[in-house]
Amino acid sequence: MSTYKETVLVVDDSRFLNDHIKRILENAEYQVVGQAIDGEEAVRKYQELLPDCVTLDIVMPKMDGIETLKQIKSLDPAAVVIMVSSAGTKEKVTEALLLGAKNFIVKPFKEEKVLEVVKTALS
Amino acid sequence: MTEESLEAVLEASAKILTQTAQLAFEYKEPHIKERVFSSHDVSTLVGISGDQEGTIIICFAYETAIQVAGRFMEVVGAEPATDFTDEASSALAELVNTIMGHYMIAMEARGFKVNITPVTVVTGDRVNFGVDGINRVVAVPVALSGGPAEINIAMK
């Protein structure tokens, strides 16, 4: 019997954190269907992959997390997006929540926190 | 203008290096440099814009960079680096990004709204950085439990 794995797109310009979030999610039986390192790539992959959830870094080159969130939400108002923020980006996190982000994770994060937030966002 | 940034970056570095990376450290006597150049093998550069403008460069000796990146990797539950790989470089950049996030908070507490660029990592000792409009760089050596480092504040 096959079980459906919820799918996630991981977006972070830090290669280390991008891969680390992917490892955390895959170890917890989520399926990471894509990774992106900037906002433009994220929007393109969202359209292509239609993941159940997106983890989205705020500070990124080319297009930041706020603009990326706006574009994803305009493509799919029901998109489940979790912001990944650094300390010092409190105002941007608030803006993201007002724009429809489901929740946020503050870096550096613990594995348990990532899983708790993703699980809650997808429930 | 440099004084607020200096205080803020030292406060942020102390917080992250001790609380997040759990490294013992000690600041040494600050000194002035006439040019912006790296004092150690691995440099992390962040641009500052907003109420204050300039560049902050945190340099690490090669072994220090491995230790610091490794500690950060351990803290988030990843396998620590044993060499300065691409993954270690990325982890070090993320640690510096965390320091700079706290620098923004510390600056806000001092009445200055600033933004930061993503962190750039450069390897090579005594690399010169051309930063327009900078005529004074304050350098603060840091003795970390993993080895030497230096914080350079070059504000316009």
Side-chain angles (χ1 to χ4, degrees):
Chain A
M1 189 177 74
S2 67
T3 44
Y4 175 72
K5 286 185 177 182
E6 287 166 308
T7 57
V8 184
L9 171 64
V10 178
V11 186
D12 201 307
D13 65 322
S14 161
R15 177 54 66 190
F16 165 66
L17 282 187
N18 199 317
D19 288 344
H20 187 52
I21 293 172
K22 179 176 188 274
R23 273 194 298 268
I24 289 172
L25 293 171
E26 287 183 340
N27 287 340
E29 303 297 314
Y30 291 99
Q31 186 186 356
V32 174
V33 286
Q35 292 172 275
I37 57 166
D38 62 57
E40 289 174 4
E41 188 183 14
V43 173
R44 203 169 55 245
K45 287 198 171 172
Y46 186 86
Q47 287 177 284
E48 179 192 326
L49 303 165
L50 294 174
D52 296 314
C53 175
V54 181
T55 65
L56 180 58
D57 187 21
I58 291 183
V59 180
M60 292 186 296
K62 290 189 186 174
M63 188 198 296
D64 73 4
I66 298 296
E67 185 54 36
T68 307
L69 172 67
K70 284 181 190 168
Q71 294 203 14
I72 289 175
K73 280 288 184 182
S74 72
L75 290 167
D76 177 8
V80 174
V81 181
I82 296 164
M83 307 309 291
V84 181
S85 77
S86 303
T89 54
K90 189 175 63 186
E91 284 172 17
K92 294 208 171 196
V93 169
T94 306
E95 187 183 353
L97 293 173
L98 290 171
L99 287 166
K102 200 85 173 174
N103 207 337
F104 65 95
I105 300 163
V106 179
K107 300 187 230 180
F109 45 73
K110 296 279 185 195
E111 180 176 336
E112 305 82 61
K113 184 69 184 174
V114 175
L115 295 176
E116 177 198 317
V117 171
V118 171
K119 185 180 175 187
T120 307
L122 286 169
S123 63
Chain B
M1 297 287 262
T2 303
E3 286 69 26
E4 295 87 5
S5 268
L6 176 62
E7 285 175 11
V9 78
L10 294 185
E11 182 183 312
S13 302
K15 182 170 184 165
I16 299 307
L17 291 171
T18 55
Q19 293 179 14
T20 302
Q22 292 161 6
L23 290 161
F25 79 101
E26 184 189 350
Y27 290 132
K28 301 290 185 185
E29 200 61 34
H31 58 276
I32 304 293
K33 289 178 178 177
E34 298 304 321
R35 293 176 294 115
V36 190
F37 62 88
S38 64
S39 48
H40 295 296
D41 310 301
V42 180
S43 300
T44 56
L45 283 81
V46 181
I48 310 296
S49 62
D51 291 344
Q52 292 204 359
E53 291 188 4
T55 304
I56 292 178
I57 303 167
I58 306 180
C59 309
F60 302 87
Y62 190 75
E63 288 303 323
T64 316
I66 297 169
Q67 291 272 340
V68 173
R71 281 298 304 136
F72 184 74
M73 293 163 96
E74 268 187 306
V75 164
V76 298
E79 195 68 31
T82 53
D83 201 354
F84 198 63
T85 57
D86 288 349
E87 194 180 31
S89 172
S90 179
L92 184 70
E94 201 47 52
L95 177 85
V96 172
N97 188 44
T98 306
I99 290 174
M100 297 313 296
H102 283 269
Y103 161 80
M104 287 167 70
I105 294 171
M107 286 298 281
E108 200 171 346
R110 288 165 173 79
F112 298 93
K113 188 95 183 127
V114 292
N115 291 307
I116 57 167
T117 62
V119 180
T120 301
V121 180
V122 178
T123 53
D125 189 16
R126 297 194 75 81
V127 176
N128 278 297
F129 301 103
V131 185
D132 283 347
I134 300 293
N135 50 21
R136 195 175 75 129
V137 183
V138 180
V140 183
V142 187
L144 276 166
S145 51
E150 187 177 85
I151 299 172
N152 293 266
I153 298 102
M155 304 305 288
K156 288 185 181 174

